[in-house]
Amino acid sequence: MRAAVRTGWRIGAAAAAALRGRAGRPLSQAAGEGGGAEGGGGGGSGSREAVERLVREHPVVVFMKGSPAQPLCGFSNAVVQILRLHGVEDYRAHDVLQDPDLRQGIKDYSNWPTIPQVYLNGEFVGGCDILLQMHQNGDLVEELKKLGIRSALLDAEKDQEKK
Amino acid sequence: MRGPLLAAAGGAMGGAGGPLARTIRAKLTAALQPTHLEVRDDSPRHGGPPGAETHFGVLVVSGRFAGLPPLQRHRLVHEALRAELAGPLHALQVIARTPEQWQSDPHLPSAPPCLGGSKREKRREDGGEAPGQQ
């Protein structure tokens, strides 16, 4: 069984390219959505520099459709609900529907094709599916702890233990 | 994931779904040699016109995922469907398991909390019924 796991690491070149994530194509090659093709330079809300600033401005940053108060997509809503379950209400949320440049720029930055996108401590963590998985297997509690955020679910468990 | 799941090239849906569904199945099969693959067309639940293929969910069970964290597994799936994701495929839910994981737990996780943000919420101010098209 262990040997099988190790050989799993020897993936093909194409797959390895996929895993390079951000090291992939530069923003200037971004296929356009709206006028978003400016990328690369210091300008534009979708440029690498602009996106970098956004993902670093808070320990928890979410790029979504709509807002936490009014999500406009079921997957974005799921992210908001999961964070809420953990008592995380103070985070930065960016509505990509308001900004086509950002909508494309964030996909190029993370080399990830869909919205929502969740960043913890400036690092791309995944979308709705992955956040849900992390929530269900306890990883999210741990990741929040690393950011100095105590998940509300820990307190919920404590209350149960007291009873 | 809710709703009926479509089995893989074992011919589930009497017609095996639309062209995009077949493409997704073929590309994932070629790229990841799954031991188990389910492709589900969620498009009708997202208000597209009949026959629109825009939102899919896939369950991929493959030894290629061994040792890889979820992010990297999903990237492999995205890479296989890069052209589709740059085109008509608007949304893609992914569950990626190794054969061992699937054998020990051949069930899907429960649905995400509160699948809201439906077209109804968006249209509330219009006072209209949830439309078939945007």
Side-chain angles (χ1 to χ4, degrees):
Chain A
M1 179 70 90
R2 293 238 176 259
V5 169
R6 284 205 195 95
T7 51
W9 280 108
R10 290 192 210 117
I11 50 184
L19 295 180
R20 260 185 256 121
R22 285 168 49 187
R25 54 198 171 93
L27 282 178
S28 55
Q29 289 176 17
E33 179 181 328
E38 269 302 4
S45 55
S47 70
R48 188 165 201 84
E49 290 75 12
V51 171
E52 185 88 25
R53 275 195 298 275
L54 292 181
V55 306
R56 293 195 186 290
E57 69 179 349
H58 195 276
V60 182
V61 181
V62 173
F63 297 83
M64 60 182 290
K65 294 182 177 178
S67 66
Q70 192 177 16
L72 293 178
C73 151
F75 306 128
S76 289
N77 186 32
V79 167
V80 169
Q81 298 300 329
I82 291 169
L83 291 175
R84 187 165 292 156
L85 280 175
H86 289 264
V88 181
E89 300 273 10
D90 174 28
Y91 57 96
R92 294 292 172 271
H94 299 283
D95 181 359
V96 301
L97 296 178
Q98 303 290 332
D99 187 343
D101 288 354
L102 178 61
R103 185 174 181 174
Q104 187 58 48
I106 194 66
K107 293 175 186 175
D108 293 331
Y109 181 85
S110 56
N111 193 23
W112 187 265
T114 50
I115 304 294
Q117 297 193 8
V118 180
Y119 290 75
L120 298 181
N121 220 25
E123 194 180 313
F124 178 57
V125 153
C128 162
D129 294 336
I130 290 178
L131 197 73
L132 178 61
Q133 229 180 288
M134 292 172 66
H135 163 66
Q136 289 173 331
N137 67 15
D139 283 353
L140 186 53
V141 171
E142 287 308 309
E143 291 303 314
L144 290 174
K145 188 188 281 187
K146 289 180 195 169
L147 301 178
I149 300 172
R150 181 181 168 80
S151 168
L153 294 184
L154 291 173
D155 297 323
E157 285 170 15
K158 268 197 159 178
D159 288 340
Q160 286 189 338
E161 282 162 22
K162 278 181 194 158
K163 290 173 193 164
Chain B
M1 282 184 169
R2 287 212 172 108
L5 284 165
L6 315 175
M13 210 185 132
L20 184 51
R22 289 195 292 274
T23 299
I24 289 172
R25 199 174 290 125
K27 287 201 173 179
L28 290 178
T29 300
L32 298 171
Q33 296 90 49
T35 57
H36 183 74
L37 173 64
E38 300 188 23
V39 177
R40 189 193 68 221
D41 185 346
D42 285 330
S43 312
R45 288 169 53 213
H46 290 263
E53 289 186 289
T54 54
H55 294 64
F56 280 83
V58 295
L59 164 64
V60 187
V61 182
S62 167
R64 301 282 304 280
F65 294 140
L68 299 181
L71 190 64
Q72 309 308 346
R73 296 183 184 193
H74 289 213
R75 287 199 188 279
L76 284 180
V77 174
H78 291 164
E79 189 57 32
L81 299 175
R82 181 177 272 275
E84 290 68 32
L85 283 162
L89 186 54
H90 184 76
L92 181 66
Q93 283 189 297
V94 176
I95 296 183
R97 303 257 175 91
T98 63
E100 292 77 17
Q101 286 174 326
W102 182 246
Q103 264 178 354
S104 64
D105 183 20
H107 299 109
L108 298 168
S110 48
C114 190
L115 273 181
S118 74
K119 48 195 180 291
R120 284 186 183 77
E121 290 181 22
K122 201 173 171 182
R123 304 269 165 180
R124 202 180 290 139
E125 62 268 22
D126 294 343
E129 185 48 71
Q133 49 274 68
Q134 298 287 337

mmCIF file of all heavy atoms in Angstrom, chain A residues 107-129:
data_model
loop_
_atom_site.group_PDB
_atom_site.id
_atom_site.type_symbol
_atom_site.label_atom_id
_atom_site.label_comp_id
_atom_site.label_asym_id
_atom_site.label_seq_id
_atom_site.Cartn_x
_atom_site.Cartn_y
_atom_site.Cartn_z
ATOM 1 N N LYS A 107 -8.587 34.468 -11.436
ATOM 2 C CA LYS A 107 -8.474 33.124 -12.016
ATOM 3 C C LYS A 107 -7.063 32.895 -12.555
ATOM 4 O O LYS A 107 -6.511 31.785 -12.458
ATOM 5 C CB LYS A 107 -9.491 32.938 -13.140
ATOM 6 C CG LYS A 107 -10.934 32.929 -12.667
ATOM 7 C CD LYS A 107 -11.889 32.854 -13.853
ATOM 8 C CE LYS A 107 -13.326 32.984 -13.427
ATOM 9 N NZ LYS A 107 -14.242 33.023 -14.586
ATOM 10 N N ASP A 108 -6.481 33.936 -13.126
ATOM 11 C CA ASP A 108 -5.120 33.812 -13.625
ATOM 12 C C ASP A 108 -4.128 33.692 -12.471
ATOM 13 O O ASP A 108 -3.187 32.903 -12.529
ATOM 14 C CB ASP A 108 -4.758 35.043 -14.467
ATOM 15 C CG ASP A 108 -5.563 35.101 -15.752
ATOM 16 O OD1 ASP A 108 -5.941 34.037 -16.261
ATOM 17 O OD2 ASP A 108 -5.828 36.216 -16.223
ATOM 18 N N TYR A 109 -4.359 34.463 -11.445
ATOM 19 C CA TYR A 109 -3.434 34.486 -10.310
ATOM 20 C C TYR A 109 -3.301 33.099 -9.681
ATOM 21 O O TYR A 109 -2.217 32.636 -9.368
ATOM 22 C CB TYR A 109 -3.937 35.506 -9.287
ATOM 23 C CG TYR A 109 -3.067 35.654 -8.071
ATOM 24 C CD1 TYR A 109 -1.967 36.516 -8.077
ATOM 25 C CD2 TYR A 109 -3.329 34.934 -6.907
ATOM 26 C CE1 TYR A 109 -1.168 36.661 -6.952
ATOM 27 C CE2 TYR A 109 -2.529 35.072 -5.786
ATOM 28 C CZ TYR A 109 -1.460 35.938 -5.814
ATOM 29 O OH TYR A 109 -0.669 36.074 -4.704
ATOM 30 N N SER A 110 -4.423 32.454 -9.481
ATOM 31 C CA SER A 110 -4.401 31.157 -8.810
ATOM 32 C C SER A 110 -4.361 29.998 -9.793
ATOM 33 O O SER A 110 -4.240 28.841 -9.391
ATOM 34 C CB SER A 110 -5.658 31.012 -7.936
ATOM 35 O OG SER A 110 -6.817 31.184 -8.740
ATOM 36 N N ASN A 111 -4.460 30.308 -11.072
ATOM 37 C CA ASN A 111 -4.608 29.274 -12.095
ATOM 38 C C ASN A 111 -5.748 28.327 -11.726
ATOM 39 O O ASN A 111 -5.595 27.109 -11.716
ATOM 40 C CB ASN A 111 -3.297 28.503 -12.295
ATOM 41 C CG ASN A 111 -3.317 27.656 -13.563
ATOM 42 O OD1 ASN A 111 -4.087 27.945 -14.484
ATOM 43 N ND2 ASN A 111 -2.519 26.610 -13.601
ATOM 44 N N TRP A 112 -6.867 28.918 -11.403
ATOM 45 C CA TRP A 112 -8.047 28.166 -10.963
ATOM 46 C C TRP A 112 -9.225 28.742 -11.709
ATOM 47 O O TRP A 112 -9.428 29.953 -11.693
ATOM 48 C CB TRP A 112 -8.202 28.348 -9.450
ATOM 49 C CG TRP A 112 -9.261 27.517 -8.816
ATOM 50 C CD1 TRP A 112 -10.549 27.886 -8.560
ATOM 51 C CD2 TRP A 112 -9.113 26.187 -8.310
ATOM 52 N NE1 TRP A 112 -11.208 26.873 -7.931
ATOM 53 C CE2 TRP A 112 -10.349 25.813 -7.762
ATOM 54 C CE3 TRP A 112 -8.051 25.287 -8.264
ATOM 55 C CZ2 TRP A 112 -10.567 24.561 -7.179
ATOM 56 C CZ3 TRP A 112 -8.264 24.054 -7.678
ATOM 57 C CH2 TRP A 112 -9.504 23.703 -7.150
ATOM 58 N N PRO A 113 -10.019 27.896 -12.324
ATOM 59 C CA PRO A 113 -10.976 28.417 -13.306
ATOM 60 C C PRO A 113 -12.305 28.946 -12.765
ATOM 61 O O PRO A 113 -13.112 29.451 -13.547
ATOM 62 C CB PRO A 113 -11.240 27.187 -14.184
ATOM 63 C CG PRO A 113 -11.092 26.035 -13.248
ATOM 64 C CD PRO A 113 -10.009 26.422 -12.288
ATOM 65 N N THR A 114 -12.546 28.771 -11.477
ATOM 66 C CA THR A 114 -13.891 29.087 -11.005
ATOM 67 C C THR A 114 -13.880 29.988 -9.769
ATOM 68 O O THR A 114 -12.872 30.173 -9.101
ATOM 69 C CB THR A 114 -14.667 27.795 -10.671
ATOM 70 O OG1 THR A 114 -13.858 26.965 -9.826
ATOM 71 C CG2 THR A 114 -15.018 27.022 -11.930
ATOM 72 N N ILE A 115 -15.038 30.534 -9.512
ATOM 73 C CA ILE A 115 -15.320 31.351 -8.334
ATOM 74 C C ILE A 115 -16.335 30.567 -7.522
ATOM 75 O O ILE A 115 -17.256 29.995 -8.115
ATOM 76 C CB ILE A 115 -15.948 32.711 -8.776
ATOM 77 C CG1 ILE A 115 -15.035 33.415 -9.767
ATOM 78 C CG2 ILE A 115 -16.271 33.588 -7.583
ATOM 79 C CD1 ILE A 115 -13.712 33.871 -9.215
ATOM 80 N N PRO A 116 -16.276 30.478 -6.226
ATOM 81 C CA PRO A 116 -15.481 31.282 -5.296
ATOM 82 C C PRO A 116 -14.060 30.760 -5.097
ATOM 83 O O PRO A 116 -13.762 29.616 -5.441
ATOM 84 C CB PRO A 116 -16.260 31.143 -3.979
ATOM 85 C CG PRO A 116 -16.894 29.802 -4.072
ATOM 86 C CD PRO A 116 -17.269 29.628 -5.520
ATOM 87 N N GLN A 117 -13.206 31.638 -4.567
ATOM 88 C CA GLN A 117 -11.846 31.261 -4.226
ATOM 89 C C GLN A 117 -11.558 31.763 -2.812
ATOM 90 O O GLN A 117 -11.863 32.891 -2.475
ATOM 91 C CB GLN A 117 -10.846 31.889 -5.206
ATOM 92 C CG GLN A 117 -11.033 31.399 -6.634
ATOM 93 C CD GLN A 117 -9.867 31.779 -7.531
ATOM 94 O OE1 GLN A 117 -8.852 32.270 -7.071
ATOM 95 N NE2 GLN A 117 -10.015 31.553 -8.828
ATOM 96 N N VAL A 118 -10.944 30.911 -2.029
ATOM 97 C CA VAL A 118 -10.664 31.227 -0.629
ATOM 98 C C VAL A 118 -9.157 31.305 -0.425
ATOM 99 O O VAL A 118 -8.424 30.403 -0.854
ATOM 100 C CB VAL A 118 -11.253 30.159 0.307
ATOM 101 C CG1 VAL A 118 -10.959 30.488 1.767
ATOM 102 C CG2 VAL A 118 -12.759 30.029 0.081
ATOM 103 N N TYR A 119 -8.711 32.385 0.203
ATOM 104 C CA TYR A 119 -7.296 32.570 0.505
ATOM 105 C C TYR A 119 -7.132 32.688 2.017
ATOM 106 O O TYR A 119 -7.823 33.492 2.663
ATOM 107 C CB TYR A 119 -6.758 33.846 -0.170
ATOM 108 C CG TYR A 119 -6.668 33.715 -1.666
ATOM 109 C CD1 TYR A 119 -7.810 33.765 -2.452
ATOM 110 C CD2 TYR A 119 -5.435 33.524 -2.297
ATOM 111 C CE1 TYR A 119 -7.736 33.617 -3.829
ATOM 112 C CE2 TYR A 119 -5.359 33.382 -3.675
ATOM 113 C CZ TYR A 119 -6.503 33.421 -4.431
ATOM 114 O OH TYR A 119 -6.432 33.269 -5.798
ATOM 115 N N LEU A 120 -6.237 31.891 2.571
ATOM 116 C CA LEU A 120 -5.915 31.978 3.990
ATOM 117 C C LEU A 120 -4.461 32.404 4.111
ATOM 118 O O LEU A 120 -3.564 31.730 3.582
ATOM 119 C CB LEU A 120 -6.143 30.634 4.684
ATOM 120 C CG LEU A 120 -7.598 30.108 4.673
ATOM 121 C CD1 LEU A 120 -7.699 28.783 5.422
ATOM 122 C CD2 LEU A 120 -8.541 31.123 5.283
ATOM 123 N N ASN A 121 -4.245 33.512 4.792
ATOM 124 C CA ASN A 121 -2.898 34.044 4.944
ATOM 125 C C ASN A 121 -2.214 34.253 3.595
ATOM 126 O O ASN A 121 -1.034 33.953 3.431
ATOM 127 C CB ASN A 121 -2.060 33.083 5.798
ATOM 128 C CG ASN A 121 -1.174 33.841 6.749
ATOM 129 O OD1 ASN A 121 -1.465 34.975 7.118
ATOM 130 N ND2 ASN A 121 -0.075 33.220 7.121
ATOM 131 N N GLY A 122 -2.967 34.770 2.650
ATOM 132 C CA GLY A 122 -2.404 35.071 1.350
ATOM 133 C C GLY A 122 -2.242 33.881 0.430
ATOM 134 O O GLY A 122 -1.816 34.033 -0.712
ATOM 135 N N GLU A 123 -2.604 32.703 0.912
ATOM 136 C CA GLU A 123 -2.377 31.507 0.114
ATOM 137 C C GLU A 123 -3.697 30.916 -0.361
ATOM 138 O O GLU A 123 -4.641 30.773 0.429
ATOM 139 C CB GLU A 123 -1.639 30.487 0.977
ATOM 140 C CG GLU A 123 -1.050 29.329 0.187
ATOM 141 C CD GLU A 123 -0.346 28.359 1.124
ATOM 142 O OE1 GLU A 123 0.422 28.837 1.972
ATOM 143 O OE2 GLU A 123 -0.610 27.150 1.011
ATOM 144 N N PHE A 124 -3.745 30.575 -1.629
ATOM 145 C CA PHE A 124 -4.961 29.999 -2.182
ATOM 146 C C PHE A 124 -5.209 28.609 -1.602
ATOM 147 O O PHE A 124 -4.324 27.757 -1.606
ATOM 148 C CB PHE A 124 -4.842 29.916 -3.704
ATOM 149 C CG PHE A 124 -6.037 29.276 -4.362
ATOM 150 C CD1 PHE A 124 -7.302 29.802 -4.161
ATOM 151 C CD2 PHE A 124 -5.898 28.167 -5.173
ATOM 152 C CE1 PHE A 124 -8.410 29.227 -4.769
ATOM 153 C CE2 PHE A 124 -6.999 27.583 -5.789
ATOM 154 C CZ PHE A 124 -8.255 28.111 -5.578
ATOM 155 N N VAL A 125 -6.399 28.421 -1.100
ATOM 156 C CA VAL A 125 -6.727 27.185 -0.407
ATOM 157 C C VAL A 125 -7.653 26.309 -1.255
ATOM 158 O O VAL A 125 -7.601 25.085 -1.179
ATOM 159 C CB VAL A 125 -7.388 27.575 0.940
ATOM 160 C CG1 VAL A 125 -8.330 26.516 1.431
ATOM 161 C CG2 VAL A 125 -6.340 27.894 1.961
ATOM 162 N N GLY A 126 -8.487 26.949 -2.041
ATOM 163 C CA GLY A 126 -9.379 26.190 -2.896
ATOM 164 C C GLY A 126 -10.716 26.888 -3.028
ATOM 165 O O GLY A 126 -10.886 28.036 -2.630
ATOM 166 N N GLY A 127 -11.657 26.140 -3.602
ATOM 167 C CA GLY A 127 -13.003 26.680 -3.777
ATOM 168 C C GLY A 127 -13.949 26.081 -2.765
ATOM 169 O O GLY A 127 -13.547 25.598 -1.703
ATOM 170 N N CYS A 128 -15.211 26.083 -3.134
ATOM 171 C CA CYS A 128 -16.263 25.638 -2.237
ATOM 172 C C CYS A 128 -16.110 24.169 -1.850
ATOM 173 O O CYS A 128 -16.233 23.820 -0.671
ATOM 174 C CB CYS A 128 -17.603 25.896 -2.925
ATOM 175 S SG CYS A 128 -18.980 24.996 -2.254
ATOM 176 N N ASP A 129 -15.814 23.316 -2.821
ATOM 177 C CA ASP A 129 -15.691 21.877 -2.533
ATOM 178 C C ASP A 129 -14.609 21.612 -1.508
ATOM 179 O O ASP A 129 -14.772 20.808 -0.584
ATOM 180 C CB ASP A 129 -15.331 21.090 -3.808
ATOM 181 C CG ASP A 129 -16.445 21.133 -4.834
ATOM 182 O OD1 ASP A 129 -17.610 21.344 -4.442
ATOM 183 O OD2 ASP A 129 -16.147 20.950 -6.028
#
